[in-house]
Amino acid sequence: MDSKSLLGDSADATYRDYGCRSEEERIVGDTTGRRIFPATCDSASVCQQADEDLYIQQAVVLIEDAIQYRSINHRVDASSLHLYRWYYARICQWGLGLTIAVVLLLAFVERPSSLTVTSDSRYRSPPWEPPCGLTESIEIMCLIIFTLDLAVKSYLIGWDEFRKNKWLVSYTIVIAVSIIDWVLSISMICDEKLRVRRLIRPFFLLQNSSLMKKTLKCIKRTLPEIASVILLLALHLCLFTMIGMLLFPKTEDPIKNEEWKVYFRNLPTSLTSLLVLLTTANNPDVMIPAYSQNRGYAIFFVAFSVIGTYFLMNLMTAIIYNQFRGYLLMAVQTSIIRRRLGIRAAFQVLSCHNAENATGESVPVDAVLQVMSRIQMQSYYREAILLAIRQYETEGFMNREQFGQIFDELDKDRIKEHPSLPQYNSVGLQKLQVIFSHYFFTIFGNAVALAHVVCICTVLVLNSEKSVAERDNHNMEIINMCFIIYYLFEMCVKIFALSWRGYLSYRNNIFDGFLTIVLLLMALVASTLLDLVKNLRAFAGILVVVYYMFAVFGIWLFEGAIKPLPHMSVPYNTTMKNITSNLSIECGTYEQLGYWPNNFDDFAAAIILLYNIMIINNWQAFMEAYTRYTTEWSKIYFVCWWFTSSVMWVNLFVALILENFTYKWDRSHSCSVTDVERIRYETSVQLIFKEQVKEPTEEELLCQLQQHPHLHLHWGNT
């Protein structure tokens, strides 16, 4: 079956066979990008040159889409392609990212402002409030940029595709709601109590990242799969709550009522006590009153913790990891299909570049080289692809399989080798080079750095009880000077052995002082941590969104809820011991622990409070305090945040760490220590799942190309 194509767009999705045109009937795109008609030219050479430029430009954009895993369902006429490349240029994308950062950071300046030295409500000075119109002016500029961004995206994909795209429709709604809310703020002279647009600002961050969208979709699909474990956990919690209320009822003996009074007084208190115990935050406090009366009561609490904390919670971790990994694999599968589709479409476009090629089964090598000269891509990929193209220069043409194979270089790990060692003629210098470039010399240097750290720690421990005037730093200065001399010697001999370029190509040489401890670890672990920084961007982005929304919602609910009593508003330098000496405060409470800086009185303080709850330690103190100062229903907010951050997000974080480490281990377990030092594998989410991804068939690619809204194709027999 031969394949033929016509570049253009069909509104009614009806495909006609135009084939690859001759000089008398060329294919050109109109300015709207809606249709492509045959055209005649007075000058055949001018017409042919225009058509060839269009073909090349289309192929360039399609391959760039494939490189970035972007959808190819956009307009393909000359003006639209120019706008498309301009939109995805680095400066425009950086500008859009900066705009998103600015609109999110406004929350730190807007009322309630975070511009104070401390967030402690006892001695916090009145914050600086921006005048009405300052932050609003910045915000409306950002909203105008977002509107332009929406207009460009909508134009490039067309109205039909716009209506199908839920993210763009939601983008439109969010911008509209933000503008309406902004107008209301201005009309009320910035004195409104509730700003709806603050809650929906994180959407701008989400919609700008395709990987973040995939990750969010995976999380949404994972939730139903873990519903059974959540239900089992809820039943476990309710069952032990009822047993606990039966075990610890109110009695006539006040001494035996301590457990009931503090932890099992009523149903909400009992549920909260065991929920906190599930996180181990109140262990062993929750069992001490009962355990002091009868050691047999420990069986109840131990059984609850073993079943809930060590079995059900870990079972949930396993299910979250397994299900999320499966859905993330599906998302990666979609990305791979996009790449293959873009490359296949580029081949089909270039096959029409050759007027003599009526069947569309090959493309000229010169055309491919011309495309490669215009593509924006990483230099190491460009070099690898150009090297693969050169083997077909003698033939002059490449078929579909060969064209796809040269772009398989995009799917390979980037392996960065360090520069070759300098050459020395002297035998003595060669031996010294072998010694100073050997891996064990690096190990020795790391051991020296560790010894330096031990010396510093020892001196700090010895001087911990001495005042600054009593300390004698003379010996420490001598020790530091000795180590500095060695570091200079090590740097010089490594430069001698490796050359400047070779020395700087090793990350551990650049960050030698800062990463002293890390350098003692295996190169595998260190490189895994570096790759995590890249692959965690999508996860970190969604975590920022969740933090932002919970912080804004927390400010709405609890701003100013906790206010210290007048006699507790003390000078800044007053110690907690002096505060509590004349007050009767229950031990372990928000007030006794001095948690006053942790509140929802401004955005920055809310972020820190949410972080402290995510860590789990003593999170019940925050929940108990806001329950006392507001209502019992406030517990729902804190439990939702605990489940979202500590249960869901921490487990997803663990899953990604396991995937990265497993991948790095599999790639390097067969390498020697020297090889691991010599090369570095740079991974991505797509590469991690490369072995499990199923390649799309030719029929699947052709089927999707036929459905392209702006690329008019026909596949028929010849």
Side-chain angles (χ1 to χ4, degrees), residues 279-333:
T279 66
T280 70
N282 61 352
N283 185 69
D285 298 352
V286 68
M287 66 179 288
I288 291 300
Y291 184 59
S292 63
Q293 298 296 323
N294 189 328
R295 69 178 69 208
Y297 285 127
I299 299 174
F300 169 80
F301 296 99
V302 171
F304 175 83
S305 297
V306 169
I307 298 173
T309 305
Y310 297 108
F311 177 71
L312 293 179
M313 293 297 288
N314 287 325
L315 179 62
M316 184 179 294
T317 299
I319 293 177
I320 290 175
Y321 168 69
N322 185 65
Q323 294 298 328
F324 181 79
R325 187 182 188 278
Y327 287 121
L328 188 59
L329 176 60
M330 293 171 57
V332 172
Q333 180 76 53

Side-chain angles (χ1 to χ4, degrees), residues 66-80:
I67 294 172
Q68 301 297 331
Y69 301 103
R70 295 194 296 252
S71 171
I72 66 171
N73 293 339
H74 53 77
R75 299 177 186 269
V76 291
D77 61 278
S79 58
S80 297

Side-chain angles (χ1 to χ4, degrees), residues 36-102:
I36 292 182
F37 298 100
T40 58
C41 297
D42 295 333
S43 173
S45 60
V46 174
C47 183
Q48 182 179 1
Q49 182 63 37
D51 291 342
E52 291 180 354
D53 289 341
L54 178 60
Y55 290 137
I56 296 297
Q57 187 70 2
Q58 288 169 338
V60 167
V61 171
L62 290 171
I63 294 177
E64 287 180 345
D65 289 340
I67 294 172
Q68 301 297 331
Y69 301 103
R70 295 194 296 252
S71 171
I72 66 171
N73 293 339
H74 53 77
R75 299 177 186 269
V76 291
D77 61 278
S79 58
S80 297
L81 291 175
H82 179 74
L83 176 63
Y84 185 83
R85 296 197 77 195
W86 174 83
Y87 174 79
Y88 280 107
R90 179 172 299 180
I91 185 172
C92 289
Q93 292 302 304
W94 272 91
L96 183 59
L98 179 62
T99 304
I100 295 172
V102 169

